[in-house]
Amino acid sequence: MSKPLAKIMNQSIKTGIFPRKLKQAKITAIYKTGDELECGNYRAILLLPDTNRLFEKLMFNRVKAFITKHDILCSSQYGFRQNHSTENALLDIVSKIRTYMDKNLFSRGIFIDLQKVFATVDHEILLYKLNHYGIQGIANNWFDSYLTERYQTTQIGTKFSIKERVICGVPQGSVLGPLLFVFYINDIQTSSAKFDFFLFADDTNLLLGVLIDNNFSWKHHIDYIALKSK
């Protein structure tokens, strides 16, 4: 199998076309929390063909080498990166808070937890960002082909839903999905010069050191942060 697979993979990369047969996915619903009869309380995990993982792993290694060579991802991103973990993120956050304390500043934090982020990624924006970071030409066409014209069906027990076309999002449970999302959110730290950003995939922490005097008012302080962060 190795020789024909290698030929197909090389042809896919040369032409910028991802095989259509590998874009057919089956969804299995994993219960998270809340009402078990509410569809929104389940995590949708895509089950893709085994051959698809070989294709994705090949491209993943290429993109990973490109990211490392050009130092593309922001240093404050700790998710889905080699030698980075939640422990690293927590240590750096604690270190930043201690730095604020040494300067007699109080630490103020905003914690952002985006919901269903993998399912809501806009393909056009993602492809634009990939092009911006240097994944251009045929390589960008390959990702366009990979993301578009995908179809999926949901299995509950022995029953299957009708096949539906996917119009947004990156495949959750895939090899490339997490890496593409990190690209998608990579520039969030440029949205404000007032905060220090700490990211773990879609979980984002914004820290700000502030000086509080005797006339401090929480309401005015919150209004001030909202105004200055725009």
Side-chain angles (χ1 to χ4, degrees), residues 19 35 39 48 55 60 63 71 78 81 126 131 141 157 166 186 191 202 208-209:
D35 186 355
C39 293
L48 297 161
F55 271 76
F60 178 91
V63 174
D71 193 24
Y78 299 86
R81 298 180 65 189
L126 174 58
N131 183 76
N141 294 339
V166 180
N186 189 56
S191 61
D202 57 320
L208 176 69

Side-chain angles (χ1 to χ4, degrees), residues 25-29 44 152-164:
K26 181 176 70 174
I27 292 178
T28 181
Q152 61 190 33
T153 183
T154 302
Q155 180 180 9
I156 302 294
T158 59
K159 305 295 183 179
F160 288 86
S161 69
I162 61 173
K163 189 180 296 183
E164 293 284 355

Side-chain angles (χ1 to χ4, degrees), residues 1-103:
M1 290 291 290
S2 59
K3 288 185 177 180
L5 279 176
K7 184 176 180 179
I8 295 172
M9 290 179 186
N10 288 330
Q11 189 68 12
S12 173
I13 293 173
K14 288 178 181 178
T15 60
I17 299 174
F18 189 79
R20 186 180 61 210
K21 290 290 187 180
L22 299 183
K23 295 191 283 187
Q24 313 293 324
K26 181 176 70 174
I27 292 178
T28 181
I30 304 299
Y31 174 69
K32 294 189 296 184
T33 184
D35 186 355
E36 294 185 8
L37 298 179
E38 178 60 46
C39 293
N41 293 332
Y42 288 79
R43 184 187 304 277
I45 302 298
L46 272 67
L47 302 179
L48 297 161
D50 291 337
T51 310
N52 171 80
R53 298 188 68 82
L54 296 176
F55 271 76
E56 291 198 30
K57 192 67 176 180
L58 176 65
M59 185 57 73
F60 178 91
N61 290 334
R62 287 175 173 240
V63 174
K64 181 181 174 182
F66 179 80
I67 289 173
T68 303
K69 179 180 178 180
H70 298 283
D71 193 24
I72 291 174
L73 297 183
C74 66
S75 60
S76 57
Q77 174 61 262
Y78 299 86
F80 306 123
R81 298 180 65 189
Q82 190 174 6
N83 300 322
H84 289 72
S85 65
T86 51
E87 287 84 358
N88 297 125
L90 289 171
L91 287 172
D92 286 349
I93 290 173
V94 171
S95 177
K96 178 57 66 174
I97 292 174
R98 286 177 174 173
T99 300
Y100 289 153
M101 293 173 65
D102 291 339
K103 297 179 180 179

Side-chain angles (χ1 to χ4, degrees), residues 62-229:
R62 287 175 173 240
V63 174
K64 181 181 174 182
F66 179 80
I67 289 173
T68 303
K69 179 180 178 180
H70 298 283
D71 193 24
I72 291 174
L73 297 183
C74 66
S75 60
S76 57
Q77 174 61 262
Y78 299 86
F80 306 123
R81 298 180 65 189
Q82 190 174 6
N83 300 322
H84 289 72
S85 65
T86 51
E87 287 84 358
N88 297 125
L90 289 171
L91 287 172
D92 286 349
I93 290 173
V94 171
S95 177
K96 178 57 66 174
I97 292 174
R98 286 177 174 173
T99 300
Y100 289 153
M101 293 173 65
D102 291 339
K103 297 179 180 179
N104 294 321
L105 298 176
F106 285 82
S107 298
R108 298 290 174 254
I110 298 175
F111 296 84
I112 303 173
D113 182 14
L114 305 175
Q115 294 186 352
K116 296 181 174 60
V117 289
F118 280 78
T120 56
V121 170
D122 185 289
H123 293 164
E124 185 176 348
I125 295 175
L126 174 58
L127 291 169
Y128 174 82
K129 291 190 175 186
L130 289 173
N131 183 76
H132 170 75
Y133 288 119
I135 300 178
Q136 304 169 348
I138 294 178
N140 196 276
N141 294 339
W142 189 92
F143 279 102
D144 186 8
S145 177
Y146 169 80
L147 291 168
T148 57
E149 296 298 324
R150 303 190 74 95
Y151 290 86
Q152 61 190 33
T153 183
T154 302
Q155 180 180 9
I156 302 294
T158 59
K159 305 295 183 179
F160 288 86
S161 69
I162 61 173
K163 189 180 296 183
E164 293 284 355
R165 181 168 173 263
V166 180
I167 60 174
C168 63
V170 293
Q172 189 165 351
S174 64
V175 175
L176 282 172
L179 183 63
L180 291 175
F181 178 76
V182 169
F183 263 106
Y184 191 70
I185 203 172
N186 189 56
D187 55 358
I188 191 174
Q189 83 279 357
T190 65
S191 61
S192 174
K194 302 292 182 181
F195 295 93
D196 291 295
F197 287 77
F198 300 89
L199 296 85
F200 194 88
D202 57 320
D203 293 318
T204 304
N205 174 217
L206 288 72
L207 279 181
L208 176 69
V210 296
L211 182 64
I212 299 180
D213 56 29
N214 293 331
N215 297 320
F216 172 77
S217 166
W218 275 110
K219 181 180 184 305
H220 293 158
H221 176 59
I222 294 173
D223 292 342
Y224 174 80
I225 292 178
L227 178 63
K228 290 296 183 180
S229 62

